[in-house]
Amino acid sequence: MDETEIPTLFLCPISLQLMRDPVTVCTGITYDRENIERWLFSCNKNKTCPVTKQSLSHNDLTPNHTLQRVIQAWCTDNIGAQTILSPKSIIDQTEIFKPLFESKKFPEKQLKCLRMLEFIAFESESNKNCLNSAGAIDFLASTMMLNKSQGVSNSSAIMSEVALEVLFHLNPSESQLKNLMNKEGVQFVESLFEVLKLGKFRSRAHAAVLLKSAFEVAGPTQLSNVTSELFVEIVRVLRDQISQEASKAALKLLVRLCSWGRNRSKAVEGGAVLVLIELLLDVSERRTCELMLIALDRLCGCAEGRAELVNHGAGVAVVSKKILRVSQVGSDRGVKILTSISRHSATPRVLHEMLLFGAVSKLCLVLQVEGSFKAKERARETLKLHSTVWRHSTCIPIPLLASYP
């Protein structure tokens, strides 16, 4: 049946789909429970009514039984359905405390309890909110840390992955993650690292996202004391291309960590520069490309990173290619990388490759087009620095020579 034939009263104002479980918010507007819960309990934590834009004094959702019966009757008469989906039951906190208590008291029931929490979490957004309020975040993190400390076994790996799955979908808040990192930061990171290293693709993707979020609230000491092995696993997530979400999380984590201590050298040792260059050759998505160039810029802040880039056959070429083709952010970072190379790694071979692969021509072009002042200044400084080698080269197109400083 065409959706336009359904009475407007029966449609959820957010999604314009037939309401299955109508509930009313404090402003008097009725929505489908699943849609309004997604609005209220998403990571943005919306506090307004989507229709009236009024602030909501509370998040209580009152079932609209009258409308539910009217929709039920209309469906039976018009589309031959004897029934529509039953409203989802609202979980009570006592139902959550029971599996939490049993899991702690009876270790042999731990997996069964985790599966129960998983079922509850996937039922609805309000269930996730209820799990959060009941302290499930701390319980799930503790379960992961406990199974990690008990060594590698099939059962402990399964329990860690189930706990991680639920933890990921509960989407811990910044304050909850900060609390975890302050109390048991080392053990929590190690448990996520274990899944990143040994877990299945789906679990590794979730671990990468949670690690990124955890290190966003970590302190300077935690950020500086990251192990070389963690960088190896971050690079492996990028290489395996598990999912776009996992790749972006790994890139953001790399960018975050490479501002601290010896992390840049550790990341280079883990193969970060080589993987980023190879991925840049084919990447087309704007934000992903920007993150890769930002990460490469951070890594070129150390001698090892610059050496890896110039020793890769496509390193200079791929960075040059991305300038003026991605975005202003991408161009700025690309110019900064070339400036760093020409300032600190300017061997005759490198200078010749910069000419041959179009890096010098791109720097001249940066001076001719609209762009950021900093990028132009860096390009001008780099061209002046090696003008005796580059200025009269036939590799630079004649129209671009006019802009050579």
Side-chain angles (χ1 to χ4, degrees), residues 130-145:
C130 197
L131 281 165
N132 267 317
S133 303
I137 297 285
D138 286 337
F139 166 76
L140 293 164
S142 299
T143 300
M144 289 174 60
M145 290 184 275

Side-chain angles (χ1 to χ4, degrees), residues 151-218:
V152 180
S153 71
N154 191 45
S155 59
S156 63
I158 291 170
M159 283 190 281
S160 287
E161 291 197 4
V162 175
L164 175 66
E165 177 88 6
V166 183
L167 185 62
F168 172 80
H169 283 94
L170 289 183
N171 192 23
S173 66
E174 186 178 312
S175 59
Q176 288 170 325
L177 285 169
K178 192 174 285 187
N179 184 49
L180 273 174
M181 292 297 282
N182 287 340
K183 287 196 304 183
E184 298 172 296
V186 174
Q187 293 91 329
F188 182 55
V189 169
E190 284 180 354
S191 64
L192 289 173
F193 167 74
E194 199 71 18
V195 177
L196 203 64
K197 183 178 179 181
L198 302 172
K200 297 172 185 174
F201 268 25
R202 182 185 178 89
S203 298
R204 288 172 61 207
H206 293 167
V209 173
L210 284 171
L211 273 170
K212 184 267 297 181
S213 300
F215 276 111
E216 282 176 349
V217 298

